[in-house]
Amino acid sequence: MKNRERFHSGGADAGERRRGTERRNGRTRQDGSTRDSRRRTEDAAGEELTRLEGRNSIREAYAAGKTIDKLYVLDGCMDEPVQRILGLARKAGTVISFVTKDRLDAMSETGAHQGVIAQAAAAEYCEVSDILEEAAERGEDPFLILLDDIEDPHNLGAIIRTANAAGAHGVVIPKRHAATLTATVAKASAGAIHFTKIAKVTNLASEIEKLKKEGIWVVCTAMDGKEMYELNLRGPIALVVGNEGNGVRPLIREKCDLTAKIPMLGQIESLNASVAAGVMAYEVVRQRKMQ
């Protein structure tokens, strides 16, 4: 094991200017839609770019080596073409969900899903070892951001964007119970998914143990941790950011070396997950600049 010694240290109204196009209070536009409803519509259109329907298209996607994050299969369907697709999915490590016909019908854009719908990744995944190699090639201490069950695709995209901007060598996400690389994530990342290494792992706790054996210190965010300014975040670091509602899971927290708290000076007790990731990432950047 590498040396992991670590020390703690201590005007005019904007609504009026846009009158007739958008009103600040209701966010109502000329077409009658709201900003939130329009975003949902845009998201749905974006997901069509990575959603595959029908047996032939999904089988061909696997044959072409395309990464399929999730496969939705009609529960109880046992015919041979679907069983072949299931075999390909299991071999590729795709997450498989057996759902009702009503669920598939609701998901379908074509109305011809034939009992199978797949969600393809908007970008290719890598291995965690590829992220470490990236750091070595750049001659830098590894800097990774690990996401513990981040479910909102907008948060995932924003975190990937921040990771790229802060010079992190890569992002690690779990295979299950988390957002994956959909078209919405690609859009929220402002294209950063195409320039940032992203690894998808089966067991985040096991990956943390492997990183620790590589000499990387793992720090998670929590309300009862030490203020981030009191921690030494220089050297090889992996930041763990928890779920939007529940934070870092106890099992994952137990694996971490350090627990960092972001100072909250107002009446609100917590930050959005992507904002918290940004604050912590740039504290790492700040401390590295001071070395």
Side-chain angles (χ1 to χ4, degrees):
M1 181 184 296
K2 297 181 181 178
N3 182 13
R4 300 178 66 246
E5 184 177 1
R6 175 68 52 170
F7 297 94
H8 293 257
S9 61
D13 182 80
E16 291 299 318
R17 290 199 302 269
R18 294 199 300 258
R19 185 184 304 166
T21 301
E22 180 180 10
R23 303 184 66 87
R24 290 180 65 87
N25 290 339
R27 300 292 193 233
T28 303
R29 299 174 182 267
Q30 286 180 328
D31 61 5
S33 69
T34 64
R35 175 172 292 178
D36 287 344
S37 67
R38 175 167 290 195
R39 188 178 78 172
R40 286 194 295 269
T41 301
E42 291 172 347
D43 290 350
E47 292 314 316
E48 292 176 27
L49 300 175
T50 53
R51 182 168 292 174
L52 305 173
E53 301 186 29
R55 301 173 183 186
N56 287 338
S57 62
I58 293 174
R59 188 170 59 248
E60 289 169 2
Y62 277 115
K66 192 170 184 63
T67 300
I68 306 296
D69 277 325
K70 294 181 181 179
L71 180 69
Y72 300 90
V73 181
L74 178 63
D75 194 15
C77 185
M78 300 295 292
D79 63 21
E80 185 178 349
V82 171
Q83 292 303 307
R84 285 203 300 267
I85 291 172
L86 284 171
L88 293 171
R90 293 186 178 108
K91 184 177 180 180
T94 302
V95 174
I96 302 170
S97 294
F98 294 94
V99 298
T100 64
K101 184 178 183 299
D102 287 344
R103 173 80 186 280
L104 284 175
D105 289 344
M107 293 173 63
S108 177
E109 294 290 335
T110 67
H113 53 72
Q114 299 177 309
V116 282
I117 293 178
Q119 182 65 54
E124 292 300 316
Y125 295 100
C126 70
E127 302 294 330
V128 175
S129 59
D130 296 323
I131 297 176
L132 300 181
E133 287 176 11
E134 172 82 6
E137 290 173 2
R138 286 158 56 174
E140 299 169 348
D141 286 328
F143 176 19
L144 300 84
I145 298 180
L146 281 56
L147 306 183
D148 184 25
D149 292 359
I150 294 294
E151 298 175 325
D152 187 323
H154 296 93
N155 274 339
L156 175 56
I159 292 171
I160 293 170
R161 182 177 184 175
T162 295
N164 182 272
H169 301 105
V171 175
V172 180
I173 63 176
K175 181 180 290 187
R176 296 182 179 274
H177 310 299
T180 53
L181 299 185
T182 63
T184 298
V185 172
K187 182 177 179 180
S189 78
I193 65 167
H194 302 298
F195 303 98
T196 307
K197 292 191 181 305
I198 304 164
K200 186 170 63 170
V201 301
T202 301
N203 190 315
L204 193 61
S206 295
E207 291 301 323
I208 288 175
E209 289 292 351
K210 293 176 184 176
L211 290 174
K212 289 163 71 173
K213 290 178 180 178
E214 291 290 329
I216 297 171
W217 281 76
V218 184
V219 54
C220 69
T221 56
M223 295 289 294
D224 58 350
K226 286 196 173 185
E227 280 204 7
M228 60 185 187
Y229 306 121
E230 298 177 9
L231 299 175
N232 181 351
L233 301 178
R234 297 181 289 275
I237 281 287
L239 295 180
V240 181
V241 180
N243 174 273
E244 293 89 350
N246 302 317
V248 177
R249 289 174 293 158
L251 172 63
I252 299 300
R253 179 170 175 171
E254 290 173 4
K255 301 287 185 181
C256 297
D257 298 299
L258 306 171
T259 304
K261 177 176 69 175
I262 297 173
M264 301 297 296
L265 307 180
Q267 287 72 43
I268 303 300
E269 295 183 350
S270 64
L271 294 172
N272 170 276
S274 63
V275 175
V279 171
M280 287 297 305
Y282 272 92
E283 176 58 16
V284 172
V285 172
R286 185 189 71 83
Q287 292 196 20
R288 286 188 169 193
K289 291 288 187 181
M290 293 177 63
Q291 291 186 105

